[in-house]
């Protein structure tokens, strides 16, 4: 009896220790030292695990701990997907298999989100682009209804490779997924494309291949599809029965939507063109799983070093008291000297609660500081009132007295504050372009007359607003339809911008450069 109980406990321990799996898809280092990694986390039933928070993730790069981790799924982010659907249309699929596949694809289109786009490639003796990327469901459904089989061979590798090329060449910033349906058998007359070629291209471009094995003949070839998915960060689903195909489509799409997108900052590591190893550990229900991948860091990026806070002790207290005394004496001398000069100074009256604190880190900015000119108008943030002086240049001073009985503080605009903001577009229809704003700030949207005009349907007429307050730039969403995303997170209130923060308006993505 004891032996049986011990065996049951042993089996349960094994099962419990393997209750979820992790698969890294790609790490994007374009905004190094800020990194973006996409990964899957799913249980033993291939169901995605949906409730992970930033605290569930521990990330390091070459042994250096990463800071400011944010996690969000594709579904939560509202980020669009470009899905390349590669279908086996060879003669072996004629009859019931083809009709079953067409019905499953049409139902898949009914569930597809409006922000997602689908393209279709069919392969038999060769390959054919049936539809380019589109979100028009009726158009895509008509293309699927008109599918027919042809030829007697299956150019599996050729068709899949061309699907990857089409995804690679698409400049849309959306996530890229290849969905493959076939029996896993390659019968191409030409041997120009191999399984290794397909896997290599998919890994280089960070495109996961999700595959559904659908075979009425030799199921041993399905191992080819399984290998494709396993080595590219995708997932393989077997569909042994016609009725299973629709279920597998739904399961696969749910897995894709729940891919996690992690954004984080790596410390003490410079971008120098070297290959680095990224290690991510997931803590879930008292269990840990670790996965790793490699990426090439961009050259010429200085290391980010976060300031270290020491614990309070008696020596720190003495240091603080001495420093405070020196500051008080200096302030008294300063005001005495200033009162003798009897010159007016520019002051800014601001409410005590001016703005929300930003993240507790900043990417180092080595560019020369700009100069404050004026404050933005009509901002939803409470803008400061500038009182002009006879001096041409702004001077620094803090008046610790209350301005009046309403509890306002009197503050001075700081000389040398950053006052130029560049929006550098790195992906989307405006890739390669840059937009510059000064301390006047401005409105971003597709409507003519805005300070930054981005003619794109996914961007609202007046989408977001940039405001310059007390030496810092802030951004707020103007109730846009598709939202404003900063560092991968959709914002709901004005936030302060830091150098190299990333943005997303519609399909337009890039980063802010503050100088």
């Amino acid at each position: 009896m004891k032996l049986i109980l011990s065996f049951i406990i042993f089996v349960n321990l094994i099962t419990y220790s393997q209750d979820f799996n992790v698969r890294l898809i790609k790490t994007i280092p374009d905004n190094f030292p800020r990194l973006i990694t996409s990964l899957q986390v799913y249980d033993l039933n291939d169901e995605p695990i949906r409730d992970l928070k930033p605290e569930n993730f521990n990330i390091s790069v070459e042994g250096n701990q990463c800071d400011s981790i944010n996690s969000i799924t594709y579904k939560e982010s509202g980020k669009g997907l470009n899905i390349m659907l590669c279908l086996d249309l060879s003669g072996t699929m004629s009859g019931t298999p083809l009709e079953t596949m067409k019905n499953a694809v049409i139902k898949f289109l009914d569930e597809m989100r409006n922000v997602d786009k689908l393209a279709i490639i069919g392969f038999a003796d060769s390959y054919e682009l049936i539809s380019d990327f589109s979100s028009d469901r009726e158009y895509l459904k008509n293309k699927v209804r008109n599918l027919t089989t042809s030829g007697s061979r299956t150019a599996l590798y050729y068709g899949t490779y061309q699907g990857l090329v089409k995804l690679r060449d698409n400049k849309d910033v959306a996530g890229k997924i290849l969905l493959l349906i076939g029996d896993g058998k390659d019968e191409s007359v030409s041997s120009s494309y191999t399984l290794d070629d397909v896997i290599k291209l998919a890994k280089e471009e960070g495109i996961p291949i999700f595959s559904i094995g659908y075979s009425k003949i030799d199921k041993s070839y399905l191992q080819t599809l399984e290998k494709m998915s396993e080595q590219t960060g995708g997932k393989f689903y077997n569909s042994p029965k016609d009725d299973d195909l629709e279920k597998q489509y739904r399961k696969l799409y749910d897995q894709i939507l729940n891919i996690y997108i992690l954004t984080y900052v790596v410390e003490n590591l410079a971008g120098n063109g070297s290959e680095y190893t990224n290690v991510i550990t997931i803590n879930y229900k008292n269990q840990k799983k670790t996965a790793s991948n490699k990426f090439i860091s961009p050259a010429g990026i200085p290391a980010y070093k976060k300031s270290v806070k020491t614990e309070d002790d008696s020596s720190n207290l003495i240091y603080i008291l001495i420093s405070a005394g020196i500051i008080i004496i200096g302030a008294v001398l300063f005001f005495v000297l200033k009162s003798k000069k009897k010159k007016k100074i520019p002051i800014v009256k601001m409410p005590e609660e001016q703005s929300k604190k930003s993240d507790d880190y900043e990417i180092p900015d080595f560019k020369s500081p700009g100069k404050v000119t004026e404050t933005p108008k009509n901002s939803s943030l409470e803008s400061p009132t500038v009182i002009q002086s006879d001096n041409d240049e702004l001077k620094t001073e803090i008046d610790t007295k209350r301005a009046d009985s309403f509890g306002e503080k009197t503050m001075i605009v700081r000389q040398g504050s950053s006052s130029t903001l560049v929006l550098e577009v790195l992906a989307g229809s405006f890739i390669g372009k840059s937009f510059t704003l000064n301390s006047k700030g401005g409105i971003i949207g597709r409507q003519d007359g805005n300070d930054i005009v981005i003619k794109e349907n996914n961007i609202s007429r007046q989408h977001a607003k940039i405001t310059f307050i007390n030496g810092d730039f802030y951004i707020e969403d103007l109730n846009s339809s598709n939202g404003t995303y900063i560092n991968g997170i959709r914002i709901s209130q004005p936030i302060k911008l830091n150098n190299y923060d990333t943005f997303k308006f519609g399909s337009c993505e890039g980063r802010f450069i503050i100088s």
Side-chain angles (χ1 to χ4, degrees):
M1 185 66 179
K2 290 183 179 179
L3 183 62
I4 294 174
L5 287 174
S6 299
F7 178 75
I8 292 173
I9 293 172
F10 176 73
V11 170
N12 286 336
L13 285 173
I14 293 176
T15 304
Y16 184 68
S17 64
Q18 297 177 345
D19 58 354
F20 74 98
N21 295 296
V22 180
R23 183 169 295 163
L24 294 189
I25 298 173
K26 184 180 183 182
T27 294
I28 302 174
D30 295 352
N31 294 315
F32 190 90
R34 189 184 301 278
L35 302 175
I36 300 175
T37 295
S38 53
L39 74 162
Q40 297 181 74
V41 186
Y42 53 94
D43 61 22
L44 294 181
N45 296 318
D46 291 333
E47 293 293 334
I49 295 174
R50 299 174 173 84
D51 56 349
L52 296 179
K53 306 299 181 185
E55 52 267 27
N56 292 112
F57 299 93
N58 182 278
I59 307 175
S60 66
V61 178
E62 299 294 330
N64 295 278
Q65 284 300 118
C66 297
D67 191 22
S68 304
I69 300 173
N70 287 316
S71 66
I72 194 169
T73 63
Y74 270 111
K75 188 174 184 179
E76 292 169 337
S77 71
K79 187 180 179 68
L81 291 167
N82 280 346
I83 302 173
M84 171 56 72
L85 180 60
C86 294
L87 302 175
D88 182 356
L89 297 179
S90 62
T92 57
M93 294 293 291
S94 60
T96 301
L98 177 63
E99 293 305 313
T100 302
M101 183 170 66
K102 287 162 67 171
N103 290 333
V105 173
I106 288 173
K107 289 184 178 180
F108 170 74
L109 288 170
D110 284 332
E111 297 182 5
M112 194 174 76
R113 301 176 304 165
N114 293 331
V115 293
D116 296 335
K117 294 180 181 179
L118 185 77
I120 304 173
I121 278 181
F123 55 88
D125 292 343
S126 184
Y127 92 98
E128 177 187 2
L129 179 63
I130 296 167
S131 170
D132 208 338
F133 289 101
S134 174
S135 57
D136 187 334
R137 297 183 187 183
E138 290 306 315
Y139 166 78
L140 292 169
K141 286 180 181 180
N142 287 332
K143 288 290 185 180
V144 172
R145 293 188 186 102
N146 293 327
L147 291 176
T148 58
T149 58
S150 63
S152 57
R153 298 183 180 274
T154 308
L156 171 66
Y157 302 145
Y158 184 37
T160 307
Y161 191 91
Q162 293 302 322
L164 290 170
V165 170
K166 189 71 177 175
L167 279 167
R168 179 196 66 191
D169 295 343
N170 189 313
K171 301 305 180 183
D172 196 340
V173 75
K176 298 178 180 181
I177 303 290
L178 190 138
L179 201 166
L180 173 62
I181 300 178
D183 59 12
K185 190 174 183 180
D186 181 81
E187 302 171 310
S188 177
V189 177
S190 171
S191 59
S192 300
Y193 296 92
T194 66
L195 175 61
D196 289 340
D197 292 332
V198 172
I199 293 174
K200 180 182 178 183
L201 180 59
K203 291 175 72 173
E204 286 176 351
E205 299 301 322
I207 301 173
I209 298 176
F210 289 80
S211 58
I212 296 179
Y214 187 62
S215 175
K216 295 293 185 182
I217 308 173
D218 190 347
K219 299 186 185 304
S220 64
Y221 289 104
L222 297 179
Q223 295 176 8
T224 300
L225 302 182
E226 191 171 4
K227 185 176 181 180
M228 276 189 196
S229 296
E230 180 72 27
Q231 295 195 16
T232 62
K235 193 77 179 68
F236 168 76
Y237 297 86
N238 188 15
S239 185
K241 301 177 182 178
D242 291 341
D243 293 341
D244 290 339
L245 191 58
E246 181 186 333
K247 296 177 183 177
Q248 298 294 42
Y249 259 111
R250 187 177 292 109
K251 196 171 185 178
L252 182 151
Y253 188 51
D254 187 46
Q255 182 66 257
I256 291 172
L257 290 183
N258 285 283
I259 289 174
Y260 282 93
I261 305 170
L262 306 181
T263 60
Y264 49 97
V265 176
V266 59
E267 299 179 29
N268 305 318
L269 202 64
N272 54 14
S274 300
E275 183 179 73
Y276 290 139
T277 300
N278 193 24
V279 180
I280 298 181
T281 301
I282 294 90
N283 299 281
Y284 180 67
K285 291 186 176 179
N286 298 319
Q287 300 296 317
K288 291 184 178 181
K289 288 291 176 70
T290 298
S292 64
N293 65 357
K294 296 182 181 296
F295 66 90
I296 304 295
S297 66
I301 307 297
Y304 159 58
K305 296 183 179 180
K306 185 179 179 181
S307 58
V308 179
K309 297 181 180 178
T310 58
E311 296 182 359
D312 291 337
D313 54 26
S314 58
S315 61
N316 285 340
L317 180 59
I318 294 172
Y319 175 80
I320 291 170
L321 291 173
I322 294 173
S323 299
I326 293 172
I327 291 172
I328 291 171
I329 293 171
V332 171
L333 292 174
F334 179 81
F335 281 110
V336 170
L337 294 173
K338 289 296 290 183
S339 63
K340 290 182 179 180
K341 293 183 179 181
K342 296 182 179 180
K343 291 185 179 180
K344 296 181 181 179
I345 53 174
I347 61 175
V348 177
K349 292 186 178 180
M350 299 182 67
E352 290 189 37
E353 295 296 328
Q354 173 57 46
S355 61
K356 181 182 176 182
K357 288 186 178 179
S358 62
D359 296 339
D360 60 354
Y361 68 86
E362 288 190 5
I363 306 299
D365 180 12
F366 296 94
K367 297 185 178 180
S368 59
K371 184 178 178 181
V372 177
T373 55
E374 62 177 292
T375 54
K377 300 177 180 178
N378 302 323
S379 170
S380 63
L381 293 171
E382 292 181 295
S383 301
T385 302
V386 177
I387 302 178
Q388 300 295 335
S389 74
D390 297 332
N391 297 335
D392 293 332
E393 296 184 354
L394 298 177
K395 299 180 180 179
T396 306
E397 180 174 308
I398 299 177
D399 187 352
T400 57
K401 298 180 180 178
R402 293 188 176 275
D404 52 39
S405 59
F406 292 95
E408 292 185 340
K409 290 181 180 178
T410 304
M411 300 181 68
I412 305 304
V413 178
R414 300 172 183 172
Q415 185 179 5
S417 298
S418 300
S419 60
T420 300
L421 182 74
V422 177
L423 286 72
E424 183 180 21
V425 182
L426 301 175
S429 54
F430 282 73
I431 186 170
K433 291 190 176 182
S434 294
F435 303 94
T436 302
L437 292 174
N438 57 22
S439 59
K440 293 181 179 180
I443 303 293
I444 302 167
R446 74 168 188 269
Q447 181 175 280
D448 290 333
N450 289 325
D451 299 276
I452 295 179
V453 179
I454 304 178
K455 296 278 188 183
E456 184 184 299
N457 291 334
N458 291 327
I459 293 179
S460 299
R461 291 183 179 87
Q462 289 190 326
H463 196 98
K465 185 173 186 176
I466 303 290
T467 308
F468 185 77
I469 298 178
N470 197 30
D472 293 310
F473 283 99
Y474 291 80
I475 187 168
E476 59 180 306
D477 183 74
L478 299 178
N479 296 319
S480 63
S481 299
N482 295 312
T484 298
Y485 293 82
I486 302 299
N487 300 326
I489 305 298
R490 185 168 183 167
I491 63 173
S492 59
Q493 58 186 352
I495 65 168
K496 176 187 169 185
L497 293 175
N498 294 307
N499 205 22
Y500 299 128
D501 278 350
T502 62
F503 64 80
K504 177 179 181 293
F505 314 115
S507 66
C508 183
E509 290 197 30
R511 63 180 179 176
F512 296 106
I513 299 175
I514 302 174
S515 61

